[in-house]
Amino acid sequence: MKQPLLTSYDLHDPRVTAFSTTRQGGYSQGPYGELNINPYCGDDELSVSRNRALLCRHLGIADDRLLMPHQTHQTQVLAVDEPFLRLTPDERRQRMEGVDALTTHVEDLCIGVSTADCIPLLLYDARHGAVSAVHAGWRGTVGRIARQAVRAMTDAYGSRPADLMAVVGPGISLESFEVGQEVYDAFLQAGFDMAPISRRYAKWHIDLPASNRLQLVDAGLRPDRILMSGVCTYQHPDRYFSARRLGIRSGRIFTAIMLRPNG
């Protein structure tokens, strides 16, 4: 039987499970191979369903306890609670349309985001038992979605930024993320200090992982509580999906976090 191969993150608490999927351990083929659970990128519907079932079995949860929004590179954050879980599948999908970050304090509920060069972020508040999963492409980064997710946790659960732990997951590195002048200008006009997050080669390159790490620090997180995966998806397309390497019609990484019950 196939087994999903995951990259796990140690947040020093057995109560929390945090991970990113890799390309290994599923049923999809070609640029979607093997482990893709994203239904929005053109993969075969049956393969996506089988991959999702594999992952849920590995996590020990039912299918309806795994949530992934339909992201649109915006900055909307959705808090998932028990009333949300009582919605029909169609109602859930509608509520998660255009959402790029989820938060929850519900146990045994896996929330995650889908990426293939964009930056996935995970947040964990051990004090209040709350988690968040964030999709930060360059547009979301310019919109400061990382800071908005921290604020959403503060508003919803009383989280204190200094208590949060964070993961900056696999995504494209500065060396590989060449951008046009318009992207550089978007960061500049949004008030970013460009010196630590950009470099000029033949064209501008932007450091998305560093940009989001700095946002988290600016939001009040302690630097020593931010775990950087250090993985460039563009440089490792054999292990992780990379849209710049494989094309838009290819699989996606699922980076997720889940609270387990105490005891």
Side-chain angles (χ1 to χ4, degrees), residues 44-121:
D44 173 68
E45 184 177 335
L46 178 58
S47 296
V48 171
S49 178
R50 295 178 75 191
N51 290 337
R52 186 180 171 102
L54 273 178
L55 182 58
C56 288
R57 184 161 57 245
H58 180 81
L59 296 171
I61 59 174
D63 182 84
D64 64 356
R65 307 294 289 187
L66 188 150
L67 300 180
M68 178 179 66
H70 186 199
Q71 304 150 193
T72 55
H73 296 273
Q74 303 299 315
T75 58
Q76 183 177 346
V77 183
L78 175 67
V80 177
D81 53 15
E82 291 289 357
F84 176 91
L85 298 178
R86 291 194 288 271
L87 298 175
T88 67
D90 282 344
E91 289 171 334
R92 287 188 184 193
R93 280 191 291 271
Q94 291 172 12
R95 289 282 301 278
M96 292 192 292
E97 180 68 30
V99 168
D100 281 77
L102 298 174
T103 69
T104 194
H105 65 331
V106 178
E107 296 174 343
D108 281 336
L109 181 68
C110 182
I111 60 170
V113 292
S114 180
T115 62
D117 289 333
C118 294
I119 309 302
L121 311 172

Side-chain angles (χ1 to χ4, degrees), residues 138-139 141-144 147 182-198 206 211 214-215 218:
W138 75 260
R139 291 179 178 84
T141 302
V142 167
R144 294 181 169 82
R147 294 192 65 171
E182 72 282 359
V183 175
Y184 179 92
D185 289 344
F187 278 83
L188 186 64
Q189 292 164 11
F192 284 80
D193 179 2
M194 301 307 294
I197 66 166
S198 66
I206 299 290
S211 299
L214 289 171
Q215 276 188 50
D218 288 345

Side-chain angles (χ1 to χ4, degrees), residues 132-225:
S132 181
V134 183
H135 163 249
W138 75 260
R139 291 179 178 84
T141 302
V142 167
R144 294 181 169 82
I145 191 171
R147 294 192 65 171
Q148 294 197 39
V150 173
R151 188 178 302 117
M153 293 185 70
T154 298
D155 293 344
Y157 316 115
S159 299
R160 298 191 310 181
D163 291 336
L164 297 179
M165 297 191 69
V167 175
V168 179
I172 197 164
S173 65
L174 178 145
E175 289 76 14
S176 300
F177 190 43
E178 180 182 278
V179 301
Q181 185 68 43
E182 72 282 359
V183 175
Y184 179 92
D185 289 344
F187 278 83
L188 186 64
Q189 292 164 11
F192 284 80
D193 179 2
M194 301 307 294
I197 66 166
S198 66
R199 191 173 303 163
R200 183 78 184 233
Y201 299 116
K203 292 185 177 181
W204 284 110
H205 287 234
I206 299 290
D207 193 333
L208 287 181
S211 299
N212 284 282
R213 180 183 181 278
L214 289 171
Q215 276 188 50
L216 293 172
V217 173
D218 288 345
L221 273 72
R222 290 168 41 188
D224 63 341
R225 294 173 70 85

